[in-house]
Amino acid sequence: MVLVGLLAALPALAVPGDTVLHVGSKRFTESYILAEIVAQTAAPHARTEHKQGLGNTAIVLAALQNGSIDVYPEYIGTIDQEILKHDKPASLEQIQRELAPLGLGVAVPLGFNNTYALAVRGDTPGVRSLSDLAAQANLQFGLSHEFIGRADGWPGLRQRYHLPQQPRGLDHGIAYEALAQRQVDVIDIYSTDAKIGRYGLKVLEDDQGYFPRYDAVLLYRLDAAKRFPAAWAALQQLEGKISATDMIAMNGAAELQGQPFSAIARDWLAKSSAQPMPAKDAGPATERHLSDVLFAPDLGRLTGQHVLLVALSVLLACLVGVPLGIVAAYRARLRQGVLGVTGMLQTIPSLALLAMLIPLLGRIGIVPALVALFVYALLPIVRNTCTGLAGVPRGLQQAALALGLNRWQRLWHVELPLALPVILAGVKTAAVMSVGTATIAAFIGAGGYGERITTGLALNDNAMMLAGALPAAALALVTQALFELLERRFVVRTGRA
């Protein structure tokens, strides 16, 4: 009941009220930038929040449908084939009609088409079009995980062009480097990627016209336009304002020059007529050192979010795990079932669990992240509680019984204190594991050090990834040290007793 009450109270703490316009983005550079443009355009007219890097289409769409976000940049081809599951391109009017029953709408064509394409190194011989790939079975394909699974991605492409290759999954952020280092020969790209020219890639001609147009638009909740009329009117001024050249330049500013997404969006808005607000000078791009990124102003906020996630999830796991461990220790018939279920939960991949929890809980952010971390923290606490109680000497149990203590008194005053060092070791293991696992929370907008890691993955920025990984490692070491200090103090106290 305690766990249910805590989880019931968390949504009110985790999700701001309807006075905030929540803007979402996927986990790649262009989506970050476009979402920043949307958020900054609406900011003079409403409070805005950018929930960045939420993952792939399925996760961001679920967040939009359950009201965790109000709008995010999307592409017509993705809406048409991936969301509405059309076999053939549909008109914008048909797309609008089919989205309306879902409470969603599409509007504000931003002005550029960012289609999918496949690319090879410039020196790759004998390949100029996608049809040429069918005769090059030796080429190694490294495709993004979303592209491999999309209806308008690899499955249909392979069928259309009769491709014999079996692709390996690569994060889009590192695909260019893998291609340059000859670890793969073919990658999927976006036509507005800034790295195409930098790496001298050959973009293969889609000679059979497989890929549809991917015109950038805003996918939004219909009620958001009504709740934020002034902000929505400002967003409509973005229609047709962003050219493909502009988008390539903005992507390059992020990926090649290391400029922050917010500064890139602010600079574009200042130079365009889309936003009559004064802009701060972001200054020329400079080489960033690890220390600059590591001790950036967001370190305190991210640390607070990460500590909160770990502390609450471990606390919830203790409230549930210790009683389950007691049951497993004293009910032999239930022991294997309890340990088996908690062990099975530990094997569920973290991102898969998050993806399942979003529609189940009806939100993104701290609540599904806490549930996932709670699930992963259960096993060491349950197992160590059961092991610690099973290790209590039988003679002491019999002595407590001879003193007239009942079942609960023996458990509370004798057995749990004697088992406490082993239980604390399980809690320590759960806490240290949770520090690392909590980095996945950023994939669904719950914050923490994972924000830096996901951004670094999107940009292939090692400094940014290290700036997220190093504080997480330091926090794990601090957590372990605190528990070891607690264990030593307990051992001294029990030894004196």
Side-chain angles (χ1 to χ4, degrees):
M1 293 301 293
V2 175
L3 173 62
V4 174
L6 284 171
L7 287 177
L10 281 171
L13 298 174
V15 181
D18 290 340
T19 59
V20 179
L21 177 67
H22 300 288
V23 182
S25 62
K26 297 184 184 180
R27 195 170 56 85
F28 62 94
T29 303
E30 186 165 294
S31 189
Y32 284 110
I33 295 171
L34 291 176
E36 277 293 332
I37 290 176
V38 170
Q40 292 186 28
T41 299
H45 311 284
R47 290 176 56 206
T48 61
E49 179 186 7
H50 177 192
K51 294 189 174 183
Q52 61 181 10
L54 295 180
N56 61 16
T57 301
I59 292 177
V60 186
L61 178 65
L64 186 69
Q65 290 179 304
N66 64 41
S68 297
I69 60 174
D70 298 298
V71 60
Y72 79 95
E74 190 51 279
Y75 302 90
I76 285 293
T78 300
I79 299 171
D80 192 13
Q81 299 196 25
E82 183 70 7
I83 295 177
L84 297 178
K85 309 297 183 184
H86 291 153
D87 295 329
K88 298 179 179 180
S91 66
L92 186 60
E93 292 74 16
Q94 180 182 349
I95 291 173
Q96 291 279 25
R97 286 197 304 271
E98 294 184 27
L99 288 175
L102 304 176
L104 305 179
V106 59
V108 193
L110 297 174
F112 68 94
N113 171 33
N114 183 12
T115 188
Y116 269 120
L118 296 188
V120 298
R121 288 181 296 276
D123 60 359
T124 303
V127 182
R128 297 180 60 85
S129 67
L130 294 178
S131 292
D132 295 333
L133 293 173
Q136 302 282 345
N138 61 319
L139 294 179
Q140 298 294 318
F141 280 52
L143 307 179
S144 64
H145 297 90
E146 182 170 5
F147 184 82
I148 290 175
R150 289 173 64 112
D152 56 344
W154 173 249
L157 183 71
R158 177 178 56 188
Q159 184 177 7
R160 174 72 63 87
Y161 284 97
H162 308 288
L163 301 179
Q165 296 87 354
Q166 292 297 322
R168 59 192 292 191
L170 280 180
D171 189 272
H172 187 73
I174 64 174
Y176 284 92
E177 283 66 28
L179 185 66
Q181 294 171 12
R182 300 183 181 273
Q183 297 178 26
V184 295
D185 302 305
V186 184
I187 62 172
D188 62 298
I189 62 169
Y190 307 120
S191 59
T192 55
D193 282 353
K195 293 182 179 179
I196 297 173
R198 179 184 183 183
Y199 287 89
L201 302 188
K202 185 193 303 183
V203 180
L204 302 181
E205 177 190 354
D206 182 12
D207 51 319
Q208 295 188 30
Y210 170 74
F211 292 114
R213 288 187 62 85
Y214 289 85
D215 296 293
V217 294
L218 298 185
L219 186 59
Y220 69 101
R221 291 178 59 85
L222 295 176
D223 63 343
K226 300 175 182 178
R227 289 188 288 117
F228 304 97
W232 186 247
L235 291 178
Q236 290 178 314
Q237 300 304 309
L238 292 172
E239 183 170 340
K241 293 295 178 63
I242 304 176
S243 67
T245 303
D246 286 343
M247 199 66 249
I248 292 171
M250 286 190 282
N251 287 335
E255 296 179 355
L256 307 181
Q257 302 174 32
Q259 293 185 20
F261 302 126
S262 58
I264 294 168
R266 186 169 59 241
D267 286 349
W268 182 85
L269 288 170
K271 294 173 185 176
S272 73
S273 59
Q275 178 74 315
M277 61 182 288
K280 299 178 182 178
D281 183 12
T286 57
E287 183 180 355
R288 294 185 301 171
H289 298 286
L290 175 59
S291 59
D292 299 329
V293 186
L294 183 61
F295 299 106
D298 64 349
L299 179 61
R301 173 181 64 84
L302 298 179
T303 300
Q305 292 171 341
H306 211 91
V307 170
L308 178 66
L309 284 169
V310 172
L312 284 180
S313 61
V314 174
L315 174 61
L316 292 173
C318 288
L319 293 174
V320 175
V322 172
L324 281 178
I326 294 172
V327 170
Y330 293 115
R331 294 290 185 269
R333 289 180 299 176
L334 300 177
R335 183 176 305 153
Q336 291 305 315
V338 170
L339 295 177
V341 169
T342 53
M344 180 193 66
L345 292 174
Q346 190 89 6
T347 66
I348 302 175
S350 54
L351 289 179
L353 180 59
L354 287 173
M356 291 186 291
L357 287 173
I358 290 172
L360 183 64
L361 298 176
R363 64 181 64 253
I364 61 172
I366 191 173
V367 175
L370 274 178
V371 173
L373 292 173
F374 156 76
V375 166
Y376 291 130
L378 269 180
L379 180 61
I381 295 175
V382 172
R383 186 177 294 278
N384 278 45
T385 300
C386 180
T387 302
L389 290 172
V392 174
R394 186 166 182 81
L396 291 177
Q397 295 176 334
Q398 291 175 343
L401 182 62
L403 290 173
L405 300 181
N406 61 32
R407 172 72 270 175
W408 290 108
Q409 288 173 328
R410 295 198 304 272
L411 176 66
W412 185 253
H413 295 290
V414 178
E415 295 163 0
L416 278 178
L418 290 172
L420 191 54
V422 179
I423 297 174
L424 278 177
V427 176
K428 177 179 69 175
T429 300
V432 173
M433 289 172 50
S434 295
V435 172
T437 310
T439 56
I440 65 170
F443 286 89
I444 55 169
Y449 297 133
E451 275 192 16
R452 291 179 171 181
I453 296 174
T454 56
T455 302
L457 284 171
L459 298 175
N460 193 31
D461 185 337
N462 291 331
M464 181 65 74
M465 286 188 280
L466 282 173
L470 290 178
L475 182 59
L477 291 174
V478 169
T479 302
Q480 181 166 323
L482 289 174
F483 272 97
E484 288 178 353
L485 178 62
L486 181 62
E487 288 172 347
R488 285 199 298 269
R489 290 178 65 88
F490 174 79
V491 169
V492 170
R493 288 178 59 187
T494 54
R496 289 175 179 171

PDB file of all heavy atoms in Angstrom, residues 48-74:
ATOM      1  N   THR A  48       7.363  27.487 -21.586  1.00  0.00           N
ATOM      2  CA  THR A  48       7.688  26.334 -22.402  1.00  0.00           C
ATOM      3  C   THR A  48       8.723  25.461 -21.713  1.00  0.00           C
ATOM      4  O   THR A  48       9.507  25.933 -20.891  1.00  0.00           O
ATOM      5  CB  THR A  48       8.240  26.762 -23.779  1.00  0.00           C
ATOM      6  OG1 THR A  48       9.441  27.518 -23.593  1.00  0.00           O
ATOM      7  CG2 THR A  48       7.231  27.586 -24.542  1.00  0.00           C
ATOM      8  N   GLU A  49       8.700  24.182 -22.063  1.00  0.00           N
ATOM      9  CA  GLU A  49       9.700  23.236 -21.578  1.00  0.00           C
ATOM     10  C   GLU A  49      10.051  22.291 -22.714  1.00  0.00           C
ATOM     11  O   GLU A  49       9.163  21.728 -23.359  1.00  0.00           O
ATOM     12  CB  GLU A  49       9.179  22.431 -20.381  1.00  0.00           C
ATOM     13  CG  GLU A  49      10.202  21.413 -19.870  1.00  0.00           C
ATOM     14  CD  GLU A  49       9.642  20.504 -18.788  1.00  0.00           C
ATOM     15  OE1 GLU A  49       8.429  20.575 -18.526  1.00  0.00           O
ATOM     16  OE2 GLU A  49      10.417  19.703 -18.229  1.00  0.00           O
ATOM     17  N   HIS A  50      11.348  22.122 -22.966  1.00  0.00           N
ATOM     18  CA  HIS A  50      11.813  21.211 -24.005  1.00  0.00           C
ATOM     19  C   HIS A  50      12.218  19.903 -23.353  1.00  0.00           C
ATOM     20  O   HIS A  50      13.198  19.845 -22.618  1.00  0.00           O
ATOM     21  CB  HIS A  50      13.002  21.842 -24.757  1.00  0.00           C
ATOM     22  CG  HIS A  50      13.586  20.929 -25.799  1.00  0.00           C
ATOM     23  ND1 HIS A  50      14.795  21.189 -26.407  1.00  0.00           N
ATOM     24  CD2 HIS A  50      13.126  19.771 -26.356  1.00  0.00           C
ATOM     25  CE1 HIS A  50      15.060  20.212 -27.277  1.00  0.00           C
ATOM     26  NE2 HIS A  50      14.065  19.354 -27.257  1.00  0.00           N
ATOM     27  N   LYS A  51      11.454  18.856 -23.613  1.00  0.00           N
ATOM     28  CA  LYS A  51      11.799  17.522 -23.136  1.00  0.00           C
ATOM     29  C   LYS A  51      12.578  16.844 -24.254  1.00  0.00           C
ATOM     30  O   LYS A  51      12.015  16.317 -25.206  1.00  0.00           O
ATOM     31  CB  LYS A  51      10.543  16.726 -22.783  1.00  0.00           C
ATOM     32  CG  LYS A  51       9.792  17.321 -21.597  1.00  0.00           C
ATOM     33  CD  LYS A  51       8.681  16.401 -21.128  1.00  0.00           C
ATOM     34  CE  LYS A  51       8.038  16.932 -19.849  1.00  0.00           C
ATOM     35  NZ  LYS A  51       7.000  16.024 -19.332  1.00  0.00           N
ATOM     36  N   GLN A  52      13.898  16.861 -24.117  1.00  0.00           N
ATOM     37  CA  GLN A  52      14.732  16.515 -25.256  1.00  0.00           C
ATOM     38  C   GLN A  52      15.164  15.052 -25.263  1.00  0.00           C
ATOM     39  O   GLN A  52      15.227  14.397 -24.236  1.00  0.00           O
ATOM     40  CB  GLN A  52      15.968  17.413 -25.266  1.00  0.00           C
ATOM     41  CG  GLN A  52      16.850  17.294 -24.033  1.00  0.00           C
ATOM     42  CD  GLN A  52      18.043  18.233 -24.107  1.00  0.00           C
ATOM     43  OE1 GLN A  52      18.127  19.087 -24.973  1.00  0.00           O
ATOM     44  NE2 GLN A  52      18.977  18.062 -23.191  1.00  0.00           N
ATOM     45  N   GLY A  53      15.440  14.591 -26.479  1.00  0.00           N
ATOM     46  CA  GLY A  53      16.003  13.260 -26.663  1.00  0.00           C
ATOM     47  C   GLY A  53      15.159  12.137 -26.127  1.00  0.00           C
ATOM     48  O   GLY A  53      15.666  11.235 -25.458  1.00  0.00           O
ATOM     49  N   LEU A  54      13.855  12.122 -26.431  1.00  0.00           N
ATOM     50  CA  LEU A  54      12.962  11.132 -25.825  1.00  0.00           C
ATOM     51  C   LEU A  54      13.054   9.757 -26.472  1.00  0.00           C
ATOM     52  O   LEU A  54      12.427   8.822 -26.000  1.00  0.00           O
ATOM     53  CB  LEU A  54      11.512  11.636 -25.893  1.00  0.00           C
ATOM     54  CG  LEU A  54      11.211  12.902 -25.080  1.00  0.00           C
ATOM     55  CD1 LEU A  54       9.752  13.281 -25.238  1.00  0.00           C
ATOM     56  CD2 LEU A  54      11.558  12.697 -23.613  1.00  0.00           C
ATOM     57  N   GLY A  55      13.826   9.616 -27.536  1.00  0.00           N
ATOM     58  CA  GLY A  55      13.969   8.303 -28.142  1.00  0.00           C
ATOM     59  C   GLY A  55      13.405   8.267 -29.546  1.00  0.00           C
ATOM     60  O   GLY A  55      13.427   9.268 -30.276  1.00  0.00           O
ATOM     61  N   ASN A  56      12.866   7.119 -29.935  1.00  0.00           N
ATOM     62  CA  ASN A  56      12.399   6.960 -31.301  1.00  0.00           C
ATOM     63  C   ASN A  56      10.949   7.404 -31.452  1.00  0.00           C
ATOM     64  O   ASN A  56      10.320   7.914 -30.520  1.00  0.00           O
ATOM     65  CB  ASN A  56      12.582   5.508 -31.762  1.00  0.00           C
ATOM     66  CG  ASN A  56      11.794   4.538 -30.897  1.00  0.00           C
ATOM     67  OD1 ASN A  56      10.888   4.927 -30.158  1.00  0.00           O
ATOM     68  ND2 ASN A  56      12.115   3.253 -30.997  1.00  0.00           N
ATOM     69  N   THR A  57      10.403   7.178 -32.659  1.00  0.00           N
ATOM     70  CA  THR A  57       9.059   7.658 -32.969  1.00  0.00           C
ATOM     71  C   THR A  57       8.012   7.106 -32.008  1.00  0.00           C
ATOM     72  O   THR A  57       7.129   7.843 -31.545  1.00  0.00           O
ATOM     73  CB  THR A  57       8.691   7.278 -34.412  1.00  0.00           C
ATOM     74  OG1 THR A  57       9.648   7.850 -35.314  1.00  0.00           O
ATOM     75  CG2 THR A  57       7.307   7.777 -34.774  1.00  0.00           C
ATOM     76  N   ALA A  58       8.100   5.814 -31.688  1.00  0.00           N
ATOM     77  CA  ALA A  58       7.084   5.194 -30.840  1.00  0.00           C
ATOM     78  C   ALA A  58       7.021   5.849 -29.465  1.00  0.00           C
ATOM     79  O   ALA A  58       5.936   6.104 -28.926  1.00  0.00           O
ATOM     80  CB  ALA A  58       7.368   3.697 -30.700  1.00  0.00           C
ATOM     81  N   ILE A  59       8.178   6.151 -28.880  1.00  0.00           N
ATOM     82  CA  ILE A  59       8.207   6.741 -27.549  1.00  0.00           C
ATOM     83  C   ILE A  59       7.690   8.174 -27.577  1.00  0.00           C
ATOM     84  O   ILE A  59       6.873   8.585 -26.736  1.00  0.00           O
ATOM     85  CB  ILE A  59       9.625   6.689 -26.972  1.00  0.00           C
ATOM     86  CG1 ILE A  59      10.028   5.233 -26.685  1.00  0.00           C
ATOM     87  CG2 ILE A  59       9.731   7.516 -25.686  1.00  0.00           C
ATOM     88  CD1 ILE A  59      11.438   5.070 -26.171  1.00  0.00           C
ATOM     89  N   VAL A  60       8.115   8.963 -28.556  1.00  0.00           N
ATOM     90  CA  VAL A  60       7.677  10.362 -28.620  1.00  0.00           C
ATOM     91  C   VAL A  60       6.190  10.431 -28.937  1.00  0.00           C
ATOM     92  O   VAL A  60       5.468  11.275 -28.386  1.00  0.00           O
ATOM     93  CB  VAL A  60       8.502  11.146 -29.657  1.00  0.00           C
ATOM     94  CG1 VAL A  60       8.158  12.626 -29.610  1.00  0.00           C
ATOM     95  CG2 VAL A  60       9.990  10.971 -29.418  1.00  0.00           C
ATOM     96  N   LEU A  61       5.710   9.561 -29.810  1.00  0.00           N
ATOM     97  CA  LEU A  61       4.279   9.545 -30.127  1.00  0.00           C
ATOM     98  C   LEU A  61       3.460   9.175 -28.901  1.00  0.00           C
ATOM     99  O   LEU A  61       2.402   9.775 -28.638  1.00  0.00           O
ATOM    100  CB  LEU A  61       4.017   8.570 -31.265  1.00  0.00           C
ATOM    101  CG  LEU A  61       2.549   8.415 -31.679  1.00  0.00           C
ATOM    102  CD1 LEU A  61       2.016   9.726 -32.251  1.00  0.00           C
ATOM    103  CD2 LEU A  61       2.387   7.294 -32.707  1.00  0.00           C
ATOM    104  N   ALA A  62       3.921   8.188 -28.137  1.00  0.00           N
ATOM    105  CA  ALA A  62       3.212   7.820 -26.905  1.00  0.00           C
ATOM    106  C   ALA A  62       3.165   8.989 -25.933  1.00  0.00           C
ATOM    107  O   ALA A  62       2.140   9.237 -25.285  1.00  0.00           O
ATOM    108  CB  ALA A  62       3.888   6.614 -26.256  1.00  0.00           C
ATOM    109  N   ALA A  63       4.265   9.730 -25.836  1.00  0.00           N
ATOM    110  CA  ALA A  63       4.295  10.910 -24.960  1.00  0.00           C
ATOM    111  C   ALA A  63       3.310  11.966 -25.436  1.00  0.00           C
ATOM    112  O   ALA A  63       2.649  12.629 -24.627  1.00  0.00           O
ATOM    113  CB  ALA A  63       5.710  11.480 -24.919  1.00  0.00           C
ATOM    114  N   LEU A  64       3.182  12.119 -26.759  1.00  0.00           N
ATOM    115  CA  LEU A  64       2.234  13.099 -27.305  1.00  0.00           C
ATOM    116  C   LEU A  64       0.796  12.662 -27.034  1.00  0.00           C
ATOM    117  O   LEU A  64      -0.042  13.471 -26.616  1.00  0.00           O
ATOM    118  CB  LEU A  64       2.477  13.235 -28.813  1.00  0.00           C
ATOM    119  CG  LEU A  64       1.680  14.329 -29.526  1.00  0.00           C
ATOM    120  CD1 LEU A  64       2.160  15.708 -29.106  1.00  0.00           C
ATOM    121  CD2 LEU A  64       1.797  14.175 -31.043  1.00  0.00           C
ATOM    122  N   GLN A  65       0.510  11.397 -27.229  1.00  0.00           N
ATOM    123  CA  GLN A  65      -0.860  10.915 -27.061  1.00  0.00           C
ATOM    124  C   GLN A  65      -1.321  10.958 -25.616  1.00  0.00           C
ATOM    125  O   GLN A  65      -2.504  11.208 -25.342  1.00  0.00           O
ATOM    126  CB  GLN A  65      -0.980   9.497 -27.612  1.00  0.00           C
ATOM    127  CG  GLN A  65      -0.889   9.423 -29.130  1.00  0.00           C
ATOM    128  CD  GLN A  65      -0.985   8.006 -29.645  1.00  0.00           C
ATOM    129  OE1 GLN A  65      -0.217   7.139 -29.245  1.00  0.00           O
ATOM    130  NE2 GLN A  65      -1.941   7.742 -30.529  1.00  0.00           N
ATOM    131  N   ASN A  66      -0.395  10.718 -24.667  1.00  0.00           N
ATOM    132  CA  ASN A  66      -0.833  10.730 -23.272  1.00  0.00           C
ATOM    133  C   ASN A  66      -0.704  12.109 -22.628  1.00  0.00           C
ATOM    134  O   ASN A  66      -0.962  12.247 -21.434  1.00  0.00           O
ATOM    135  CB  ASN A  66      -0.092   9.673 -22.452  1.00  0.00           C
ATOM    136  CG  ASN A  66       1.411   9.916 -22.360  1.00  0.00           C
ATOM    137  OD1 ASN A  66       1.867  11.045 -22.189  1.00  0.00           O
ATOM    138  ND2 ASN A  66       2.199   8.849 -22.452  1.00  0.00           N
ATOM    139  N   GLY A  67      -0.325  13.128 -23.388  1.00  0.00           N
ATOM    140  CA  GLY A  67      -0.297  14.494 -22.879  1.00  0.00           C
ATOM    141  C   GLY A  67       0.976  14.888 -22.175  1.00  0.00           C
ATOM    142  O   GLY A  67       1.056  15.991 -21.617  1.00  0.00           O
ATOM    143  N   SER A  68       2.006  14.033 -22.187  1.00  0.00           N
ATOM    144  CA  SER A  68       3.267  14.408 -21.564  1.00  0.00           C
ATOM    145  C   SER A  68       3.978  15.504 -22.341  1.00  0.00           C
ATOM    146  O   SER A  68       4.743  16.274 -21.779  1.00  0.00           O
ATOM    147  CB  SER A  68       4.184  13.189 -21.438  1.00  0.00           C
ATOM    148  OG  SER A  68       3.612  12.218 -20.596  1.00  0.00           O
ATOM    149  N   ILE A  69       3.758  15.548 -23.657  1.00  0.00           N
ATOM    150  CA  ILE A  69       4.223  16.668 -24.473  1.00  0.00           C
ATOM    151  C   ILE A  69       3.052  17.149 -25.311  1.00  0.00           C
ATOM    152  O   ILE A  69       2.047  16.435 -25.484  1.00  0.00           O
ATOM    153  CB  ILE A  69       5.411  16.281 -25.379  1.00  0.00           C
ATOM    154  CG1 ILE A  69       5.036  15.151 -26.338  1.00  0.00           C
ATOM    155  CG2 ILE A  69       6.627  15.898 -24.548  1.00  0.00           C
ATOM    156  CD1 ILE A  69       6.118  14.819 -27.361  1.00  0.00           C
ATOM    157  N   ASP A  70       3.171  18.368 -25.834  1.00  0.00           N
ATOM    158  CA  ASP A  70       2.086  18.965 -26.612  1.00  0.00           C
ATOM    159  C   ASP A  70       2.394  19.036 -28.098  1.00  0.00           C
ATOM    160  O   ASP A  70       1.469  19.079 -28.918  1.00  0.00           O
ATOM    161  CB  ASP A  70       1.795  20.386 -26.098  1.00  0.00           C
ATOM    162  CG  ASP A  70       1.333  20.399 -24.660  1.00  0.00           C
ATOM    163  OD1 ASP A  70       0.280  19.807 -24.379  1.00  0.00           O
ATOM    164  OD2 ASP A  70       2.026  20.985 -23.808  1.00  0.00           O
ATOM    165  N   VAL A  71       3.666  19.075 -28.455  1.00  0.00           N
ATOM    166  CA  VAL A  71       4.044  19.239 -29.855  1.00  0.00           C
ATOM    167  C   VAL A  71       5.483  18.756 -30.018  1.00  0.00           C
ATOM    168  O   VAL A  71       6.281  18.829 -29.082  1.00  0.00           O
ATOM    169  CB  VAL A  71       3.900  20.715 -30.298  1.00  0.00           C
ATOM    170  CG1 VAL A  71       4.782  21.636 -29.462  1.00  0.00           C
ATOM    171  CG2 VAL A  71       4.206  20.896 -31.779  1.00  0.00           C
ATOM    172  N   TYR A  72       5.788  18.248 -31.199  1.00  0.00           N
ATOM    173  CA  TYR A  72       7.184  17.923 -31.511  1.00  0.00           C
ATOM    174  C   TYR A  72       7.375  17.946 -33.021  1.00  0.00           C
ATOM    175  O   TYR A  72       6.428  17.763 -33.782  1.00  0.00           O
ATOM    176  CB  TYR A  72       7.595  16.574 -30.910  1.00  0.00           C
ATOM    177  CG  TYR A  72       7.159  15.339 -31.655  1.00  0.00           C
ATOM    178  CD1 TYR A  72       8.011  14.716 -32.576  1.00  0.00           C
ATOM    179  CD2 TYR A  72       5.914  14.767 -31.423  1.00  0.00           C
ATOM    180  CE1 TYR A  72       7.623  13.562 -33.241  1.00  0.00           C
ATOM    181  CE2 TYR A  72       5.529  13.610 -32.088  1.00  0.00           C
ATOM    182  CZ  TYR A  72       6.383  13.019 -33.002  1.00  0.00           C
ATOM    183  OH  TYR A  72       5.995  11.883 -33.661  1.00  0.00           O
ATOM    184  N   PRO A  73       8.603  18.206 -33.498  1.00  0.00           N
ATOM    185  CA  PRO A  73       8.860  18.218 -34.941  1.00  0.00           C
ATOM    186  C   PRO A  73       8.878  16.797 -35.487  1.00  0.00           C
ATOM    187  O   PRO A  73       9.510  15.916 -34.916  1.00  0.00           O
ATOM    188  CB  PRO A  73      10.243  18.885 -35.055  1.00  0.00           C
ATOM    189  CG  PRO A  73      10.877  18.680 -33.716  1.00  0.00           C
ATOM    190  CD  PRO A  73       9.775  18.646 -32.714  1.00  0.00           C
ATOM    191  N   GLU A  74       8.180  16.593 -36.591  1.00  0.00           N
ATOM    192  CA  GLU A  74       8.083  15.276 -37.212  1.00  0.00           C
ATOM    193  C   GLU A  74       8.157  15.453 -38.730  1.00  0.00           C
ATOM    194  O   GLU A  74       8.275  16.579 -39.222  1.00  0.00           O
ATOM    195  CB  GLU A  74       6.773  14.595 -36.770  1.00  0.00           C
ATOM    196  CG  GLU A  74       6.616  13.133 -37.129  1.00  0.00           C
ATOM    197  CD  GLU A  74       7.778  12.258 -36.732  1.00  0.00           C
ATOM    198  OE1 GLU A  74       8.756  12.271 -37.512  1.00  0.00           O
ATOM    199  OE2 GLU A  74       7.702  11.557 -35.713  1.00  0.00           O
TER     200      GLU A  74
END
